[in-house]
Amino acid sequence: MPQEPKKRHSRARQGKRRASIRLSAVKSFSCPNCGSPVAPHTVCRNCGFYKGKEVVAIKVKEKKAE
Ligand SMILES: [Zn+2]
């Protein structure tokens, strides 16, 4: 048998607990190479750069140019 709470928490207590539960705004920063908005810890989708190095070869950019 799993353990059960002995007494029920009041609505106020429930509300206090849930008051801090919320989504935080997504932090955005721009790519140092091309300046497009990128999520942190993510390879840039526009130029394929991460930490100043080209990590992913860009096929998408070539298609856009054509
Ligand atoms: Zn970039």
Side-chain angles (χ1 to χ4, degrees), residues 13-63:
R13 225 173 137 171
Q14 185 188 51
K16 277 176 193 170
R17 192 197 321 127
R18 292 180 184 172
S20 61
I21 302 172
R22 69 190 87 110
L23 291 171
S24 58
V26 179
K27 287 183 180 178
S28 62
F29 84 123
S30 54
C31 172
N33 190 51
C34 67
S36 66
V38 198
H41 309 283
T42 315
V43 176
C44 177
R45 285 199 170 193
N46 194 43
C47 61
F49 269 61
Y50 184 72
K51 279 192 173 181
K53 292 176 186 175
E54 190 177 358
V55 186
V56 184
I58 337 110
K59 292 181 180 176
V60 185
K61 205 177 181 182
E62 291 168 9
K63 284 178 183 175

